[in-house]
Amino acid sequence: MDHMLEVEKNAGTISNAMLPALYRIENVRKDTDDTFTLELVPQGDGDGFTFSPGQFNMLYVFGVGEIPISICGDPARKDLLVHTTRAVGTVTKALRKLKRNDVIGVRGPFGTHWPVEDVTGSDVVIIAGGIGLPPLRPALYSLLAQREKYGKIVLLYGTRSPADILYKNELERWRARFDLEVHITVDRGMEGWHGNVGVVTTLIKKAPFDPDNTVAFVVGPEVMMRYAILELHKRGVESSSIYLSMERNMKCAIGLCGHCQLGNVFVCKDGPVFTLEQLSRLPNEY
Ligand SMILES: Cc1cc2nc3c(=O)[nH]c(=O)nc-3n(C[C@H](O)[C@H](O)[C@H](O)COP(=O)(O)OP(=O)(O)OC[C@H]3O[C@@H](n4cnc5c(N)ncnc54)[C@H](O)[C@@H]3O)c2cc1C
Ligand code: FES
């Protein structure tokens, strides 16, 4: 292609990618004390929203700011965009105050995805700590939609306390299935809690998967991810079969500003999903 044409074409793509589309809040759900889920629909007509499990959007609260939040709905539902967010600071707290029919800006989807289509025939173990479950939920929807293509599917999920467990009804439904193993644990039990107590990584040693034929998808706080890697390695899962989603500060989300840079890669564009093998070549904690 002629160089000027290419430059013009890219400039068009960049300005489109930087321009938020307007989405109306169709539904707000309070999941826990500090976490809430927004269901969004496009303002006006549109073809719906297509994304791959593990990708994220930039959500813009008008007059406040823009933040990266993973898409956590079902990839098969193009009509509904779903985001679960923990309120930790300026933008997430402003987002939490919004109500049904309020409008926000959405840019995306951005980033790499869980390799759901590439791991057919394998056992898949999904390990989530706290707010790490939302970015993994679309992968689970996709795996279950083609259940016959995979070996064992195991979800290991840990939270601080029973009150912090997200998507309780859905977890109950998943737990009732014969073709999915769901194990939940909490750091601190409380009266009425009869489940596991202990950090999520303690579940890995007994989890029913074949280490020689397993891929692991892991999201959670840094310390949890480090211990998950240790336990997966102890079981014999290779670094090339361990996938992690990385969080970094983001601004442009299209590989321009450098805010999310990790060595020579941009987490917004080359991630957020990386294999441990890829990460071990970059300057970071893994
Ligand atoms: C690719 C990607 C996907 C993400 N997906 C989700 C998601 O699905 N759901 C979700 O809730 N969050 C997600 N995050 C994290 C989210 O982007 C941040 O929590 C958000 O940017 C914080 O913005 P803020 O203005 O509310 O907080 P700020 O005002 O920027 O920060 C306020 C305080 O919160 C702390 N803080 C900032 N980020 C985090 C964090 N991630 N965890 C704990 N404390 C933090 C800061 O250190 C600071 O002390 C994702 C991040 C990335 C990069
Ligand atoms: S957020 Fe700008 S380069 Fe990644």
Side-chain angles (χ1 to χ4, degrees), residues 250-253 255-260 266 268:
M250 288 186 189
K251 203 170 168 115
C252 70
L256 283 180
C257 72
H259 269 74
C260 67
F266 296 111
C268 65

Side-chain angles (χ1 to χ4, degrees), residues 56-61 65-69 85 91-92 95 250:
F56 67 94
N57 279 327
M58 295 298 287
L59 302 187
Y60 182 42
V61 183
E66 202 184 26
I67 47 165
I69 298 290
T85 306
V91 182
T92 48
L95 197 60
M250 288 186 189

